[in-house]
Amino acid sequence: MSKNARSIGNLIFDIINVLLLCIILLIVLYPLYFVVIASFSDPYQVISGKLTILPRGINVLGYQRIFQNAELWNGYLNTIQYTIAGLAINMTLTTLGGFALSRRTLPGRKAIMLLITFTMYFSGGMIPSYLLIKNLHMINTLWAMVLPGAVSVFNLIIMRTFFMQFSEELLDAASIDGCSAFRTLFRIVLPLSGPVMSVILLYYGVGHWNEFFKGILYLTDRSKYPLQLVLRNILIQNVITDIYDDTAVTQLLLVESIKYGVIIVSTLPVMMLYPFLQKYFVKGAMIGAIKG
């Protein structure tokens, strides 16, 4: 086969790949784009199905009611609190566990790893978990939102596999120089673990930010509801507090507008965070996935 024929074949292959990726990009981005333009459009245009590419009948009343709604902002603050506390616990336990399991000198390392991996496929179930949380007197507390699932086995395996790339000679040299295990971790290992730490931080952070099922199970006080649970009540039950005395039709249109506005408000922090961690994302995940 001639060089020109191969070049034409490569060009055709590249064109097809680009077209397919563009189509996939549109399929992925359009729902998000639709939510954005729907949040600024006349809710009647949205309900009637007339909204396609451009916003129609600019309307920001939904955002005005969102900013006036105390329950939504209280849910926002609760979610921030749960996310910060949860990340502190998650990263501490996952880092310490991953580093310990990465050391070949740890007695029973394989047996411990086997038991931990076993929990990925088998668990006690929802009712035993609820009874455990209840008996520990954590119902309707912050701890019920952050302690269950404090360590993700998947994230622990990624962290452990990443730490295994550090040579035993390097860590032994640190030990000979008088470094304890904790000092070795914090002075040598962690400064070189930016990519994997960023990936694990993103995994846990998004999980906490989107958490609502634990709120359904363990929270009874509406003032402690996370944002996603408040959002769920709006989307499923079509209700929101502080709607005032509007007519039934006006309320229906208003709730439709508020739905899309709340989606934007709730996902905006994660969307703003991801670009700063994206450069580490692929590198950290792949390193943790293919070694060891």
Side-chain angles (χ1 to χ4, degrees):
M1 184 180 293
S2 65
K3 182 177 180 180
N4 289 336
R6 287 199 301 270
S7 299
I8 293 175
N10 290 337
L11 179 61
I12 295 175
F13 179 77
D14 291 340
I15 293 174
I16 293 175
N17 273 341
V18 171
L19 290 176
L20 288 175
L21 291 174
C22 289
I23 293 172
I24 294 173
L25 179 65
L26 290 175
I27 293 173
V28 172
L29 287 184
Y30 181 75
L32 177 61
Y33 173 74
F34 179 84
V35 170
V36 173
I37 62 175
S39 67
F40 289 101
S41 298
D42 181 359
Y44 177 77
Q45 302 291 334
V46 179
I47 294 176
S48 61
K50 297 180 180 179
L51 189 65
T52 54
I53 304 299
L54 298 175
R56 303 184 59 154
I58 300 299
N59 183 1
V60 295
L61 184 59
Y63 283 104
Q64 292 177 0
R65 294 297 176 89
I66 289 172
F67 295 139
Q68 294 171 359
N69 187 269
E71 188 175 22
L72 284 170
W73 288 112
N74 185 62
Y76 223 112
L77 293 176
N78 288 337
T79 294
I80 293 174
Q81 181 183 10
Y82 298 149
T83 300
I84 293 175
L87 282 176
I89 295 172
N90 296 146
M91 296 304 295
T92 300
L93 296 179
T94 304
T95 302
L96 295 177
F99 180 68
L101 292 169
S102 70
R103 299 304 304 270
R104 294 179 174 84
T105 56
L106 177 68
R109 182 175 66 125
K110 292 185 178 179
I112 295 172
M113 200 64 215
L114 180 62
L115 291 174
I116 292 175
T117 306
F118 181 82
T119 64
M120 291 183 67
Y121 305 100
F122 302 96
S123 65
M126 182 174 66
I127 294 177
S129 298
Y130 176 82
L131 293 176
L132 175 63
I133 297 300
K134 182 179 180 182
N135 292 334
L136 292 174
H137 305 290
M138 293 196 301
I139 294 294
N140 214 37
T141 65
L142 176 145
W143 306 113
M145 297 295 295
V146 300
L147 287 183
V151 176
S152 165
V153 178
F154 177 78
N155 293 341
L156 180 64
I157 292 174
I158 291 179
M159 188 78 79
R160 165 188 171 269
T161 309
F162 183 88
F163 287 155
M164 288 177 67
Q165 73 175 318
F166 291 95
S167 66
E168 289 294 324
E169 291 77 10
L170 174 63
L171 302 182
D172 290 341
S175 178
I176 293 173
D177 288 340
C179 289
S180 64
F182 281 100
R183 190 172 183 181
T184 301
L185 173 63
F186 289 104
R187 291 292 185 90
I188 298 175
V189 176
L190 289 186
L192 302 174
S193 303
V196 74
M197 297 294 289
S198 300
V199 171
I200 301 301
L201 187 73
L202 183 62
Y203 282 163
Y204 279 128
V206 171
H208 283 295
W209 191 264
N210 292 330
E211 182 62 65
F212 74 94
F213 191 65
K214 290 178 186 175
I216 295 175
L217 288 180
Y218 306 131
L219 299 181
T220 57
D221 186 355
R222 293 182 65 92
S223 65
K224 297 182 179 180
Y225 279 3
L227 176 64
Q228 300 301 333
L229 186 52
V230 177
L231 173 60
R232 172 187 175 273
N233 293 338
I234 295 173
L235 296 178
I236 295 179
Q237 301 175 12
N238 282 341
V239 297
I240 188 170
T241 58
D242 301 333
I243 287 188
Y244 307 109
D245 298 324
D246 299 319
T247 64
V249 175
T250 303
Q251 286 189 16
L252 178 62
L253 294 176
L254 181 59
V255 167
E256 189 69 20
S257 181
I258 289 175
K259 283 181 182 181
Y260 295 105
V262 169
I263 293 174
I264 296 299
V265 171
S266 64
T267 56
L268 192 60
V270 177
M271 294 172 61
M272 294 175 61
L273 177 64
Y274 180 76
F276 296 99
L277 300 179
Q278 188 271 341
K279 63 180 179 179
Y280 300 112
F281 189 80
V282 175
K283 181 180 178 182
M286 291 302 295
I287 290 177
I290 64 177
K291 287 185 177 288

